[in-house]
Amino acid sequence: MTDTSEKASTKVTPAGGGSGGGALAALTRSRGLRHLALVLAAYVGIVLLLQLFGDFRDTQLATMAYFVPAAAGLTLLTGVNGQISLGHGALMAVGAYTTAAILDRADLTPFILVVLASVAAAAVVGLLVGVAAARLHGPYLAGATLALAVGLPGIAIYFGDLFGGEQGLRVRPPDPPAWFEDLAGGDLGRTYPALLGWALALSVLWFLSNLVTSRYGRQWRAVRDDEVAASLCGIDLGRARVLAFVVSAACAGVGGALLAVTSRLVAPTSVTLVLSLYLLTAIVLGGLGSLLGAVLGSAILAFLPTVLTNRALDSGLDSAAAANLAPMVFGLVLVVVMLAAPRGIVGTTRIALLSRKLKKQRAAALASRT
Amino acid sequence: MPDAPPGARFEVEGVTVRFGGLVALDGVSLHVEPGEVLGVIGPNGAGKTTLFNVVCGFLTPSEGRLSWRGERLTGLKPHKLAGLGIARTLQGVGLFEGMTVLDNVMAGAGTRPRAGFASALFGLPRADAEEAQLRARALAALDRLNAADYAGRYPGSLPYPVQKRVALARALVSEPGLLMLDEPAAGLSNDEMDELGDLIRELSGTMGVMLVEHHMDLVMRVCDRITVLDFGKVIATGTPEQVRSDPAVLAAYLGDEVEAPAAASGSTGRVSTRKDG
Ligand SMILES: Nc1ncnc2c1ncn2[C@@H]1O[C@H](COP(=O)(O)OP(=O)(O)OP(=O)(O)O)[C@@H](O)[C@H]1O
Ligand SMILES: [Mg+2]
């Protein structure tokens, strides 16, 4: 009883305070600003993490940064719009090869221009696939996108002059701009890839959280849930699906550009079908359709393999076997999650919280009646 | 009927639809006057839903034409319908299961968007303002159907009659000139059906209504005119009284071995073998 009355009184305060301050009021009213505040807070958190931990975490956080945009884009396509893609690794490859090919030939600065070119390239491929995909369903769509994942690295080998063939292209990561050096000092230079990656990853998250809470997000969900009812609501099914594919591919393009500069090498072996499957695993583990879920899933992709490999090496496994442990564990975890908690981390937690809230409300209602 | 009824005239002329060898609609003609409630009845499989599907552009008729507001509708696509001011509810409920009740109705409201992709992407105030507008309209539509309390709930957690009201709110929120209702009373109690009847009469003040329904007492009560289909053909059109005593109609329903509409104007009013909810 006392607990709930306390809750009620704390609930009143923010509303009363919000109406006073103009800036705060604007913040609570505007979706875009609210999301921006979250994203900036997350960036501050990342910067602090990079300060606190050593070299090793830098690379893992940078790795996570290239998974995040791709997984977030995929969860929009698959979770929000209901289109499966087994080819998102290939769309990342388009972004990665574009970045590598540009940096191989020209010193294009600032780096954001290279990223935009990669986004454009991935979006164009996404448009082509999306137009085909809008007519396909379920297993056919899975098959078509699988063909993309398998076939695209072959193109890189075929046009070996341009894309480096089997060996791939070495990527010279962009130098930190002068103002960054001034600001951060020499020692912080090593965190530049992770800081750059997270700036881009969080920008993508900002754009996507604006979109999924907008009219477009609603239309994508409507198309996913009931095609007939969606068209009667005035939604052009084909257009909505193609748009989702293009947006999703553009995000994969950002992920690809970051993959290129983080791993410093883009080769057919770095963008195999396994990458596509990893991305799917990440969004299912995190919770389909949830951007936060995509971030959590990316964290698992980035951190779990090293943990597993180290454990395996400690317990005396040879390095080849240890390296194969991660894919196997991912596969197992995926099967278990699909069976036991198909809504993933975010979905399961949300339901648990909701049912707890409901129980409390019922108890409060019961108590107030007596 | 009011002196100058609002809405617009909708007309179907000589529409024929074939599924392979089966003629589902055979030269069907009917029209809905502005502000009129037209009942479309007939035994199971008579072609009522098929007719709705033609009107909505889900099926292209092999012959015949449709016109709306004095203009011929050609190359009709389902998603263009809402923009033309025609709304439809589906047989069953057809709600978006993964979206809240409010989002369901907002989806029906956004047929003429002004803020574009860029405003959505950057979360600009334009997009926020339009969303706020849509939300207000959706809440008003829910309120009109006594469902505003459920705005934050998911359809699957609601009783069937409430789901049907939400589906109706989603159709009404676009303020259509023609409303097509496919079995809106299925699964409703008698009281709820009475309320629905009152609502339909009220709606006919601002729009034309095409009503497909098996509950004969509702049809007889709310319709200005009734068109009867049997095996894809129009066998009678007229006022409820005329249709009720039409020998061809009686024969069609008797042939179906269920209650005749004359008897159905009593308390049960069932003319189908469909199970009640
Ligand atoms: N897509 C289709 N393909 C083949 N036949 C169809 C199709 N849709 C409907 N039919 C047939 O066309 C006829 C008319 O069906 P329709 O669904 O329009 O009937 P209805 O009057 O709505 O019946 P009910 O009262 O059961 O809803 C039926 O014989 C049905 O089997
Ligand atoms: Mg039907």
Side-chain angles (χ1 to χ4, degrees):
Chain A
M1 276 284 289
T2 48
D3 177 31
T4 51
S5 60
E6 257 174 37
K7 268 258 168 65
S9 67
T10 50
K11 241 184 179 173
V12 176
T13 351
S19 60
L24 201 61
L27 197 69
T28 45
R29 241 184 295 122
S30 161
R31 264 179 316 125
L33 289 181
R34 225 163 36 227
H35 296 151
L36 191 63
L38 279 177
V39 159
L40 287 178
Y43 197 62
V44 171
I46 295 289
V47 172
L48 289 180
L49 273 182
L50 284 170
Q51 300 274 7
L52 289 176
F53 293 112
D55 254 340
F56 178 56
R57 290 280 188 271
D58 293 352
T59 38
Q60 280 177 334
L61 278 171
T63 303
M64 185 178 164
Y66 73 67
F67 280 130
V68 165
L74 184 59
T75 212
L76 176 128
L77 183 72
T78 304
V80 177
N81 192 224
Q83 301 190 77
I84 191 164
S85 169
L86 297 176
H88 258 51
L91 292 169
M92 279 182 87
V94 173
Y97 269 109
T98 307
T99 295
I102 292 177
L103 291 180
D104 195 34
R105 283 161 184 77
D107 203 13
L108 191 55
T109 46
F111 180 62
I112 187 70
L113 293 179
V114 182
V115 175
L116 287 178
S118 306
V119 167
V124 167
V125 177
L127 177 68
L128 298 178
V129 182
V131 168
R135 296 162 186 280
L136 300 174
H137 285 267
Y140 301 102
L141 181 54
T145 50
L146 180 66
L148 179 73
V150 175
L152 205 104
I155 294 181
I157 295 172
Y158 187 81
F159 294 102
D161 291 346
L162 201 56
F163 298 121
E166 298 273 8
Q167 279 77 45
L169 289 173
R170 298 212 156 273
V171 182
R172 193 179 48 79
D175 295 321
W179 58 263
F180 178 84
E181 303 255 286
D182 294 344
L183 198 76
D187 186 42
L188 262 180
R190 68 180 168 80
T191 61
Y192 183 69
L195 283 173
L196 175 74
W198 275 98
L200 287 168
L202 286 168
S203 307
V204 168
L205 285 177
W206 181 64
F207 283 128
L208 290 185
S209 49
N210 288 341
L211 275 183
V212 295
T213 54
S214 77
R215 165 167 72 89
Y216 291 92
R218 192 163 52 241
Q219 294 192 342
W220 284 327
R221 288 189 190 91
V223 170
R224 170 198 68 190
D225 284 353
D226 191 324
E227 293 184 6
V228 171
S231 7
L232 289 174
C233 286
I235 302 169
D236 184 335
L237 300 180
R239 253 178 97 153
R241 290 208 170 102
V242 171
L243 183 64
F245 224 109
V246 171
V247 170
S248 182
C251 298
V254 177
L258 291 176
L259 173 121
V261 295
T262 304
S263 57
R264 300 184 181 200
L265 174 77
V266 182
T269 46
S270 55
V271 287
T272 56
L273 177 62
V274 174
L275 181 59
S276 298
L277 298 180
Y278 269 18
L279 290 174
L280 264 183
T281 309
I283 63 168
V284 172
L285 290 184
L288 265 184
S290 153
L291 293 177
L292 178 61
V295 175
L296 294 178
S298 303
I300 296 174
L301 286 190
F303 289 94
L304 194 64
T306 348
V307 174
L308 283 175
T309 311
N310 288 348
R311 275 285 161 80
L313 288 175
D314 286 350
S315 62
L317 227 61
D318 70 86
S319 58
N324 277 324
L325 198 61
M328 200 186 78
V329 171
F330 277 137
L332 274 176
V333 171
L334 185 62
V335 170
V336 171
V337 166
M338 294 286 254
L339 291 176
R343 283 160 197 275
I345 300 173
V346 170
T348 309
T349 315
R350 189 179 290 159
I351 286 177
L353 287 177
L354 268 178
S355 62
R356 238 180 62 186
K357 199 173 124 197
L358 214 69
K359 258 187 209 154
K360 267 195 182 162
Q361 276 175 359
R362 287 220 180 106
L366 216 68
S368 68
R369 228 178 281 159
T370 52
Chain B
M1 260 210 275
D3 300 340
R9 188 182 153 96
F10 179 78
E11 194 164 359
V12 174
E13 286 174 82
V15 162
T16 297
V17 172
R18 294 191 186 85
F19 293 119
L22 180 94
V23 184
L25 291 178
D26 188 358
V28 169
S29 297
L30 52 77
H31 61 96
V32 187
E33 295 294 335
E36 180 188 46
V37 181
L38 175 77
V40 178
I41 65 170
N44 286 116
K48 304 177 296 289
T49 299
T50 304
L51 177 68
F52 269 26
N53 283 340
V54 168
V55 173
C56 295
F58 286 114
L59 289 171
T60 312
S62 47
E63 283 159 42
R65 48 198 264 172
L66 312 171
S67 56
W68 169 236
R69 290 182 174 146
E71 278 170 41
R72 193 172 166 187
L73 296 176
T74 48
L76 192 61
K77 298 257 173 55
H79 68 265
K80 296 264 173 71
L81 206 71
L84 291 168
I86 301 178
R88 170 186 174 181
T89 63
L90 295 165
Q91 196 168 346
V93 286
L95 290 176
F96 307 121
E97 291 295 325
M99 294 161 63
T100 63
V101 162
L102 182 63
D103 271 336
N104 264 274
V105 180
M106 282 173 78
T111 52
R112 270 160 298 218
R114 270 165 288 119
F117 185 74
S119 0
L121 188 66
F122 290 93
L124 297 185
R126 273 175 74 96
D128 279 348
E130 191 160 292
E131 284 289 295
Q133 235 175 34
L134 288 186
R135 188 172 301 115
R137 277 174 54 200
L139 280 171
L142 281 169
D143 203 37
R144 184 171 190 185
L145 286 152
N146 292 325
D149 288 348
Y150 306 106
R153 300 272 294 270
Y154 285 84
S157 70
L158 298 175
Y160 189 73
V162 178
Q163 293 188 33
K164 291 218 83 143
R165 298 215 298 270
V166 174
L168 193 52
R170 187 177 66 190
L172 285 180
V173 73
S174 61
E175 290 161 12
L178 178 70
L179 177 66
M180 307 170 65
L181 302 171
D182 199 347
E183 303 201 13
L188 299 193
S189 71
N190 282 336
D191 286 348
E192 287 161 341
M193 220 181 295
D194 284 347
E195 270 174 42
L196 177 68
D198 294 342
L199 178 74
I200 294 175
R201 282 310 325 170
E202 186 196 320
L203 290 176
S204 68
T206 51
M207 62 190 76
V209 179
M210 231 165 127
L211 172 68
V212 164
E213 191 45 74
H214 285 294
H215 290 87
M216 279 308 138
D217 42 358
L218 179 69
V219 172
M220 293 295 163
R221 182 160 84 83
V222 303
C223 294
D224 297 303
R225 284 186 311 117
I226 296 174
T227 292
V228 189
L229 289 180
D230 190 26
F231 292 113
K233 280 202 171 87
V234 175
I235 57 165
T237 294
T239 61
E241 289 71 32
Q242 290 168 343
V243 163
R244 195 180 303 182
S245 51
D246 192 304
V249 177
L250 292 178
Y253 276 100
L254 286 172
D256 205 36
E257 291 183 41
V258 285
E259 291 167 274
S265 58
S267 62
T268 55
R270 299 283 300 147
V271 186
S272 79
T273 47
R274 200 169 279 273
K275 76 174 195 300
D276 206 344

